[in-house]
Amino acid sequence: MFVALTAIGANITSIFPFLVIGGVPITLQGFFAVMSGLVLGSRVGPFSMFVYMMLGLVGAPVFAQFKGGVGMILSPTFGFILGFILIAYVTGKIREANSSLPSYIIAALTAMTINYVFGTNWMYAAYQLWFEAPAEFSYKLVWLWMMVPLPKDILLDTAAGILAYRLSKQGITIRHRIDEESA
């Protein structure tokens, strides 16, 4: 389910093309990567994001703007896709350690921060090493580019924490099922 939701979230710009700013698509992938860790936990959540990444790398058009294929590894934004595996793991681990509402929100915002650091550094390296960098390109400029989606990501990741917490209260998590089976 989270593989499909992440693919849909990646292509929200096909429905709303104004969400492509400066050539960078503003997507819901990060939201669903965070949700996968919070809902599925630190083992199944990252696995779902790994499946999503591999599906895209074998050519399925699941990445933003219906892109796919192994060439995406060289894309400046591929670091964010790779980071989805890590952030699903981190959110799952934090959630497994403490299942309070503040913990869910902290897990989501921590994941967003990790993804920004990982993805932005990948983007910088891509422009430095194998992409043609724009004029006046700098590390500071790459981080300034990231300020565009930042408010959206703060709001969505906070919402992901609240939504996942509410789902857990309804018994919709992997953790509850595992606890019930061991009882």
Side-chain angles (χ1 to χ4, degrees), residues 18-27 116 141-154:
F18 62 86
L19 292 175
V20 178
I21 300 170
V24 177
I26 306 301
T27 70
Y116 265 61
L141 180 63
V142 173
W143 278 101
L144 286 173
W145 289 345
M146 296 310 299
M147 294 304 111
V148 173
L150 182 63
K152 178 244 348 164
D153 286 334
I154 291 171

Side-chain angles (χ1 to χ4, degrees), residues 40 43-44 173-183:
L40 302 176
R43 290 183 11 210
V44 180
T173 65
I174 294 292
R175 181 178 183 182
H176 289 292
R177 290 189 183 124
I178 291 170
D179 290 344
E180 290 170 3
E181 288 173 7
S182 64

Side-chain angles (χ1 to χ4, degrees), residues 90-167:
V90 168
T91 55
K93 276 296 187 191
I94 293 172
R95 191 259 339 207
E96 290 161 5
N98 183 343
S99 59
S100 67
L101 176 59
S103 181
Y104 273 75
I105 294 170
I106 289 167
L109 293 174
T110 300
M112 180 201 68
T113 303
I114 290 168
N115 205 34
Y116 265 61
V117 169
F118 193 83
T120 304
N121 282 304
W122 181 286
M123 185 184 301
Y124 178 74
Y127 277 113
Q128 287 291 94
L129 301 174
W130 60 82
F131 252 66
E132 185 177 330
E136 305 298 321
F137 181 76
S138 67
Y139 190 66
K140 181 180 178 181
L141 180 63
V142 173
W143 278 101
L144 286 173
W145 289 345
M146 296 310 299
M147 294 304 111
V148 173
L150 182 63
K152 178 244 348 164
D153 286 334
I154 291 171
L155 288 172
L156 282 176
D157 287 329
T158 301
I162 294 167
L163 177 60
Y165 176 77
R166 289 185 178 188
L167 289 173

Side-chain angles (χ1 to χ4, degrees), residues 1-23:
M1 178 176 82
F2 278 101
V3 173
L5 288 171
T6 306
I8 292 166
N11 289 297
I12 196 78
T13 56
S14 297
I15 301 165
F16 304 109
F18 62 86
L19 292 175
V20 178
I21 300 170

